[in-house]
């Protein structure tokens, strides 16, 4: 597989289809300072942190080769380092692998000792049995069954694979569906089209003649968004609330803002919400049910006997499951 060196990041060529499927995530990592692809303040984060601490507390990782597959912006690496589960300088090698250049740039800037690899995780450019440990948190399932098969290939026979994957119809999936419902409603309102007309200069005679209707229609659209927020105040990671508050403020103070700058801002907000919607769809599509979970296990056990441990993670006993915890050793 061809590759090129870009600074300290090793960038491998990837199929165009993979690049297109990854567009929503790459745009996300390129426009956010967050390392996680989920709400870092969510109730399940404490459960995740405790899970990883329990798994690595009693394991010596010194001089081992370690791979964080489909790493995103490095949320798992950050968790492991902050909880003293690993010290990258004590490892023989630590790789973060992901398809997104933007995500890997974020990892490298925070953890220079981590080797970052831009690659399709369903086609890993490593030799058989290259790693003692392979981990993933809400990442590998996006890459499909082939990524699990590849992990089985590059994992040592005495190695350990640990992954936290989306649970189909679980708590996170329920939240994704709610977000999508609201975003679809926003699309039905055609909010951005009405906003552009409302903010567009009324130099054109046709627009001047229609200005009363344009303003009335836009105010109705704002009211519709307000109704959506009443039902789902924290939807789309708070972006819908930001859209409503900022758009309303700028509209009520038109003379204080440059029209072209406002229109550019609206375009950026629309793009962000389209990308957010794409990520929600991918999260729903990638979640594992019992059948796909069985196929994952088979990927590791087809060529030999391995121990398998499957847990269901919940924020607490009264909550829906939100993730599968898969361990192969």
């Amino acid at each position: 597989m061809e590759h090129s060196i870009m600074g300290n990041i090793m960038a491998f060529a990837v199929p165009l289809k993979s690049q297109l499927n990854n567009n929503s995530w790459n745009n996300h990592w390129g426009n956010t300072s967050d390392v996680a692809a989920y709400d870092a303040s969510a109730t399940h984060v404490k459960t995740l942190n405790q899970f990883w601490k329990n798994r690595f507390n009693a394991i010596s990782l010194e001089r081992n080769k370690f791979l964080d597959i489909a790493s995103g912006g490095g949320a798992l690496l950050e968790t492991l380092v902050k909880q003293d589960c690993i010290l990258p300088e004590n490892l023989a090698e630590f790789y973060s692998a992901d398809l997104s250049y933007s995500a890997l740039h974020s990892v490298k800037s925070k953890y220079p000792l981590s080797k970052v690899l831009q690659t399709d995780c369903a086609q890993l450019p490593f030799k058989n049995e290259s790693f003692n440990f392979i981990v993933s948190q809400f990442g590998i399932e996006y890459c499909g069954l082939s990524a699990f098969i590849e992990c089985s290939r590059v994992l040592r026979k005495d190695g350990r694979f640990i992954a936290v994957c989306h649970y189909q119809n679980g708590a996170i999936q329920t939240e994704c569906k709610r977000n999508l419902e609201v975003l679809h409603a926003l699309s039905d309102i055609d909010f951005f089209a009405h906003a552009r007309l409302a903010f567009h200069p009324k130099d054109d005679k046709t627009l001047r003649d229609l200005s009363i209707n344009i303003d009335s229609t836009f105010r109705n659209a704002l009211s519709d968004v307000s109704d959506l927020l009443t039902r789902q105040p924290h939807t789309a990671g708070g972006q819908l609330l930001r859209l409503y508050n900022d758009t309303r403020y700028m509209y009520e103070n038109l003379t204080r803002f440059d029209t072209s700058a406002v229109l550019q801002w609206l375009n950026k907000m629309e793009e962000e919400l389209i990308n957010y919607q794409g990520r929600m769809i991918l999260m729903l599509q990638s979640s594992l049910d019992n059948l796909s979970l069985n196929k994952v296990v088979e990927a590791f056990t087809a060529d030999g006997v391995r121990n398998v441990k499957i847990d269901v993670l919940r924020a607490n006993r009264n909550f829906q499951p939100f993730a599968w915890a898969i361990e192969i050793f």
Side-chain angles (χ1 to χ4, degrees):
M1 187 176 292
E2 294 181 1
H3 66 274
S4 61
I5 303 297
M6 295 193 298
N8 289 324
I9 295 180
M10 190 181 300
F12 285 78
V14 295
L16 178 60
K17 182 179 179 182
S18 296
Q19 291 173 331
L20 292 173
N21 289 341
N22 184 61
N23 190 54
S24 293
W25 285 116
N26 198 53
N27 288 338
H28 169 74
W29 298 125
N31 291 284
T32 181
S33 59
D34 296 332
V35 295
Y38 53 87
D39 183 357
S41 64
T43 55
H44 63 266
V45 172
K46 184 177 180 180
T47 303
L48 283 174
N49 291 345
Q50 191 60 51
F51 169 81
W52 290 110
K53 188 169 186 177
N54 290 345
R55 293 307 177 274
F56 283 100
N57 232 4
I59 299 175
S60 173
L61 299 177
E62 192 167 350
R63 310 314 304 161
N64 282 307
K65 293 184 67 176
F66 204 98
L67 171 64
D68 182 5
I69 189 167
S71 64
L76 180 52
L77 175 56
E78 183 170 290
T79 296
L80 296 175
V81 170
K82 281 186 174 180
Q83 298 195 126
D84 296 324
C85 295
I86 65 169
L87 293 173
E89 59 268 27
N90 289 343
L91 297 169
E93 288 182 302
F94 187 103
Y95 279 91
S96 295
D98 200 274
L99 192 58
S100 168
Y101 179 94
S102 300
L104 295 173
H105 182 76
S106 175
V107 174
K108 193 68 178 179
S109 65
K110 293 181 177 70
Y111 301 99
L113 290 177
S114 177
K115 296 184 178 182
V116 290
L117 181 74
Q118 186 182 13
T119 185
D120 182 345
C121 292
Q123 302 176 39
L124 294 174
F126 297 114
K127 295 179 180 179
N128 294 351
E129 299 190 49
S130 292
F131 292 94
N132 308 89
F133 287 89
I134 302 177
V135 296
S136 181
Q137 178 172 279
F138 297 139
I140 187 173
E141 63 269 41
Y142 291 99
C143 309
L145 182 62
S146 296
F148 291 96
I149 295 172
E150 277 291 85
C151 284
S152 177
R153 179 183 67 80
V154 302
L155 184 66
R156 288 171 54 109
K157 295 301 181 186
D158 59 349
R160 194 177 191 100
F161 171 89
I162 309 175
V164 171
C165 299
H166 286 297
Y167 185 104
Q168 191 169 99
N169 297 321
I172 293 177
Q173 304 300 296
T174 298
E175 186 62 28
C176 287
K177 290 176 183 176
R178 289 188 189 131
N179 286 331
L180 281 175
E181 287 171 1
V182 173
L183 292 175
H184 288 156
L186 182 69
S187 179
D188 290 341
I189 294 168
D190 210 4
F191 178 83
F192 286 99
H194 295 313
R196 289 189 187 94
L197 282 174
F199 282 102
H200 199 281
K202 304 300 190 294
D203 299 330
D204 183 270
K205 182 179 185 303
T206 303
L207 287 178
R208 285 200 303 271
D209 293 343
L210 294 174
S211 62
I212 294 177
N213 287 335
I214 288 172
D215 290 344
S216 176
T217 302
F218 177 59
R219 288 185 182 278
N220 288 337
L222 272 175
S223 179
D224 289 339
V225 175
S226 178
D227 291 342
L228 289 176
L229 286 166
T230 299
R231 298 195 297 272
Q232 297 287 344
H234 305 296
T235 194
Q239 289 190 79
L240 189 62
L241 180 61
R242 176 189 168 202
L243 174 68
Y244 173 76
N245 285 336
D246 289 0
T247 307
R248 185 183 63 173
Y249 180 79
M250 288 186 290
Y251 185 68
E252 292 173 350
N253 297 273
L254 277 173
T255 58
R256 298 176 58 184
F257 295 94
D258 177 71
T259 301
S260 61
V262 172
L263 292 173
Q264 289 178 9
W265 179 84
L266 283 169
N267 290 339
K268 188 176 188 314
M269 285 298 298
E270 184 175 28
E271 181 183 0
E272 287 183 8
L273 286 170
I274 289 171
N275 287 329
Y276 189 93
Q277 179 174 287
R279 297 198 305 276
M280 294 298 101
I281 292 171
L282 288 173
M283 288 171 79
L284 289 172
Q285 291 175 342
S286 67
S287 60
L288 303 182
D289 58 11
N290 282 290
L291 179 60
S292 51
L293 184 66
N294 288 337
K295 290 181 180 178
V296 166
V297 172
E298 289 172 5
F300 287 91
T301 58
D303 296 328
V305 177
R306 288 187 185 269
N307 295 313
V308 178
K309 183 179 180 183
I310 306 293
D311 285 325
V312 174
L313 301 184
R314 305 171 187 265
N316 66 50
R317 66 181 65 185
N318 298 318
F319 279 57
Q320 285 178 287
F322 68 84
W324 297 104
I326 306 166
E327 298 181 67
I328 311 291
F329 53 97

